Amino acid sequence: MRADKALFGYNADQVHRYVSSLEAELNLLEERRQAESAAYERTEAELLDEIAALEQGLSELEHMEASLEQWIQRNG
């Protein structure tokens, strides 16, 4: 009843349809936000995995370089 008083001078059916359409749009936007958030999290996880793999590869290269330098010092 309070809403009807607040809508004095407006077509209540039109107002309710408008509010319903806004709520539907809000729901769609929330679904899109959740989907984009999930996609962001998947991409972030993939990139973090790539970074970890690159760091591992770098560590292995640094170890190989150190071993090679030691071999050169001993045999060079």
Side-chain angles (χ1 to χ4, degrees):
M1 187 58 123
R2 183 176 180 183
D4 291 335
K5 288 181 182 178
L7 297 175
F8 180 75
Y10 295 94
N11 182 321
D13 290 335
Q14 287 179 338
V15 170
H16 289 297
R17 280 194 301 272
Y18 179 69
V19 169
S20 293
S21 71
L22 289 177
E23 289 172 342
E25 184 178 355
L26 179 62
N27 289 336
L28 288 174
L29 289 172
E30 178 59 21
E31 289 174 9
R32 184 183 305 158
R33 186 199 64 77
Q34 290 176 357
E36 289 176 356
S37 178
Y40 169 83
E41 289 176 6
R42 283 190 304 273
T43 301
E44 181 183 33
E46 290 171 3
L47 291 173
L48 290 173
D49 288 346
E50 286 183 37
I51 290 170
L54 290 171
E55 288 174 340
Q56 178 65 31
L58 177 61
S59 176
E60 291 172 5
L61 287 173
E62 288 173 341
H63 177 73
M64 289 171 61
E65 180 183 21
S67 296
L68 180 59
E69 287 175 356
Q70 289 175 355
W71 185 87
I72 290 171
Q73 287 177 355
R74 283 192 304 256
N75 299 306

